[in-house]
Amino acid sequence: MFKSLIAASVLAVITGCATAAQPTEGNAEQAKYTASDKAERLAKEYLLVDTHIDVPYRIHDKWEDVTEATAEGDFDYPRAVEGGLDAPFMSIYIPASYEQSGGSVQLAHELIDGMEALVARAPDKFAMAYSTDDIRSNKEQGLMSIALGMENGTPIEGDLDNLHMFYERGIRYITLAHSLSNHISDSSYDIRRQWDGLSPFGKELVKEMNKVGVMVDVSHISDEAFYQAVEISDVPVIASHSSLRSYTPGFERNMSDDMLKALAENEGVIQINFGSSFLAEQANRYRDMMKKRINAVKEQYGEDSDEAKRRIKDIEANNPYPFATLDTVLDHIDHVRDLIGVEHIGIGSDYDGVGDSLPVGLKDVSTYPNLVQGLMDRGYSDKEIEMILGGNLMRVWEQVEDYAETH
C-alpha cells in the first residue's frame, strides 16, 4: 500500500526492476549498521513510541496475521519485539478520494475494528491504549500498546459529533488532510489552495480537538494551514511522520526551518519519517528524473518499439533507486536538535506506508536498535535518546490530555 502520491509514483517507476534497485552491494551496506548490546538494551528499556505505522490499511487490503511472523510488510509482532517497539500508533488511513466518493466513516470503523480484532486475537501480546497511562501500564505488563491515529480528517465530514465519536473509538490524533485538500485543510501535495490554509470548519475543528483531547497532526497539510494550526491550537501539535525540507528542497510535504521554529514555539514535536523520498534529495527527485528520461526515449524511438524497450530497460538497470541510509535519518535528527532542540524530536517511521523505499539500516520494525546505536555514535546521551524514542511524544500527549480535562 503506497499512501503518498510521491511514494506511489516513485515505486511505480521502479516496479519490475527490484533487482536493480537493490544491488548485492546494498546488502553489505545494510550489514554495516549493527547495534551493540547497549543499543539493543536501551531500545527495549526505554519507552519506544512510533507515531505512524500503516498496518491497518495493509491488512485490510491483503490480510496477514501480524500477531505472528509475516513474509510481507515492515511490521509483525516478533520483529517489533526484537526492535523494542512498545507503542505503535496504527494509522487509520483514509485515501483522499473518499472526500468525494463518500464511505470514509465506514472505512474508518472497519480499520479500527481490525485493530481491536488484532488485540482480541492475541491478548497476551497486544493491548489497546487510549491514554499515556495505558501506554505505561501496558509496558509494565509486557504488552505492546496499539494506539490509533487517523490519517486524513475526511471521516469527520464537517460534523464535530463525529470527532467525539472517533475519540470514543480510540483516535488520539488526526492528520487534518492527506494528498488532496479536503473540507478541513489544504494539502501540501495539492496545487489547489481552496482555503488558503484551514477552512472555517478546520479552524473550529482544531479548537474542538484541543477540548476533546485529540492531538492535532500537521503532517501533509500546506504551509499556510500549518501556521494557522499552530496559532489556533492551545496545546502542542505533532507532525506525526514528516522530515526536513532543507534536505529535500521544494518538497512542501516536509517541514522548513521556519516551520520547525514555529513548532518549537508551540512546544510540539516532529516525528521523523523514514521514507527515502522524505530524507534525500536524490531519492525525492528520482521519479521525475526517470520519467523524463523514459519519456524522451519513447518520443525518439516510439513508445512500443523494441529499441525503446531495450533502452528503457538499460535506463532502469543503470539507475537503481537511490535509497537513503540510517545516517541520512540521523542527519535530519541532528538538524532538528541543532536548530530547535532535542526535546522536539520523535519517531514517525511510516513503516508499511512507503513501500520499498525505506533506508538502508532501517528496513523494518526490528531495526530501531540501529537508530539507537547511531544516536549513541553521534554523542547523544542516554537521556536524549530516551526523549527521542518516546519521551517527547508522551510529553505532548500528556499536555493534550491535561488541557482536555480542564476544558
Side-chain angles (χ1 to χ4, degrees):
M1 183 275 292
F2 311 130
K3 302 178 292 129
S4 79
L5 298 180
I6 297 295
S9 299
V10 167
L11 288 159
V13 169
I14 63 174
T15 297
C17 57
T19 302
Q22 301 185 58
T24 302
E25 57 265 27
N27 296 331
E29 190 173 8
Q30 173 82 14
K32 82 176 184 181
Y33 296 112
T34 303
S36 65
D37 290 343
K38 179 180 178 180
E40 293 186 357
R41 175 175 61 79
L42 292 182
K44 291 180 170 61
E45 176 182 332
Y46 293 150
L47 183 64
L48 203 167
V49 182
D50 187 327
T51 49
H52 202 88
I53 296 182
D54 275 286
V55 166
Y57 200 83
R58 165 191 159 196
I59 64 175
H60 182 270
D61 189 47
K62 183 182 178 182
W63 191 84
E64 290 182 289
D65 185 2
V66 295
T67 68
E68 307 291 344
T70 60
E72 305 295 331
D74 308 325
F75 174 97
D76 58 44
Y77 180 78
R79 284 182 287 170
V81 170
E82 182 182 354
L85 181 59
D86 294 301
F89 268 80
M90 296 300 187
S91 173
I92 304 305
Y93 163 60
I94 309 299
S97 60
Y98 279 73
E99 183 77 12
Q100 279 70 47
S101 69
S104 63
V105 172
Q106 176 66 26
L107 176 59
H109 283 306
E110 290 175 4
L111 297 178
I112 296 170
D113 289 346
M115 292 300 95
E116 292 176 344
L118 176 68
V119 171
R121 282 198 305 277
D124 58 328
K125 298 176 180 177
F126 297 105
M128 297 301 298
Y130 305 115
S131 67
T132 53
D133 286 344
D134 287 346
I135 299 285
R136 295 190 178 95
S137 175
N138 290 341
K139 183 174 176 63
E140 289 175 2
Q141 297 176 63
L143 296 171
M144 188 173 298
S145 291
I146 300 295
L148 302 175
M150 178 179 286
E151 186 178 23
N152 186 5
T154 283
I156 301 302
E157 292 191 338
D159 187 345
L160 294 179
D161 286 344
N162 284 340
L163 169 64
H164 289 261
M165 173 186 67
F166 282 117
Y167 176 85
E168 293 301 320
R169 291 232 55 193
I171 295 296
R172 290 301 178 266
Y173 77 69
I174 296 175
T175 318
L176 301 180
H178 192 251
S179 58
L180 295 173
S181 298
N182 61 14
H183 70 284
I184 297 167
S185 175
D186 290 335
S187 165
S188 62
Y189 284 127
D190 197 339
I191 61 173
R192 301 170 301 162
R193 300 299 161 97
Q194 60 177 322
W195 304 116
D196 293 323
L198 299 176
S199 71
F201 175 77
K203 294 173 182 178
E204 183 182 3
L205 178 64
V206 167
K207 300 294 286 187
E208 192 68 13
M209 289 170 68
N210 289 173
K211 294 177 183 178
V212 172
V214 176
M215 290 179 280
V216 176
D217 178 17
V218 296
S219 289
H220 278 289
I221 63 177
S222 69
D223 288 10
E224 294 85 355
F226 163 81
Y227 285 112
Q228 291 168 17
V230 296
E231 181 180 358
I232 292 168
S233 180
D234 291 320
V235 293
V237 304
I238 66 169
S240 69
H241 59 307
S242 294
S243 296
L244 308 185
R245 202 177 301 173
S246 59
Y247 293 91
T248 56
F251 186 42
E252 190 177 343
R253 171 64 179 81
N254 275 345
M255 296 185 68
S256 70
D257 283 1
D258 285 342
M259 293 168 75
L260 290 173
K261 292 174 184 177
L263 185 74
E265 292 179 6
N266 170 264
E267 300 183 359
V269 291
I270 177 172
Q271 308 287 107
I272 298 298
N273 190 311
F274 291 174
S276 289
S277 67
F278 292 82
L279 297 168
E281 184 175 10
Q282 189 177 8
N284 188 262
R285 296 182 175 180
Y286 177 83
R287 174 252 181 183
D288 287 338
M289 179 272 291
M290 291 290 283
K291 183 178 180 180
K292 288 178 182 177
R293 295 186 67 174
I294 289 171
N295 285 345
V297 168
K298 290 179 178 178
E299 184 175 342
Q300 182 174 356
Y301 296 100
E303 183 167 353
D304 297 320
S305 70
D306 290 341
E307 181 64 14
K309 292 176 183 178
R310 183 187 69 78
R311 287 176 178 268
I312 290 170
K313 185 176 181 180
D314 286 344
I315 290 172
E316 292 174 340
N318 293 320
N319 294 275
Y321 183 68
F323 291 99
T325 68
L326 168 59
D327 286 303
T328 324
V329 175
L330 294 168
D331 289 343
H332 283 247
I333 291 173
D334 284 351
H335 186 88
V336 180
R337 177 201 59 189
D338 295 344
L339 186 68
I340 61 173
V342 72
E343 64 270 25
H344 302 289
I345 310 168
I347 298 170
S349 65
D350 218 343
Y351 281 135
D352 279 327
V354 289
D356 295 330
S357 75
L358 290 160
V360 177
L362 290 171
K363 290 296 187 183
D364 63 31
V365 292
S366 71
T367 59
Y368 297 111
N370 292 348
L371 179 66
V372 175
Q373 184 65 53
L375 293 169
M376 291 167 51
D377 292 344
R378 294 202 180 194
Y380 287 79
S381 69
D382 289 2
K383 178 60 178 176
E384 289 173 329
I385 292 170
E386 183 178 17
M387 292 166 68
I388 292 169
L389 292 184
N392 292 332
L393 185 282
M394 292 290 280
R395 184 258 306 165
V396 169
W397 192 358
E398 286 174 336
Q399 288 179 258
V400 172
E401 290 176 328
D402 291 345
Y403 183 92
E405 286 182 2
T406 57
H407 290 79

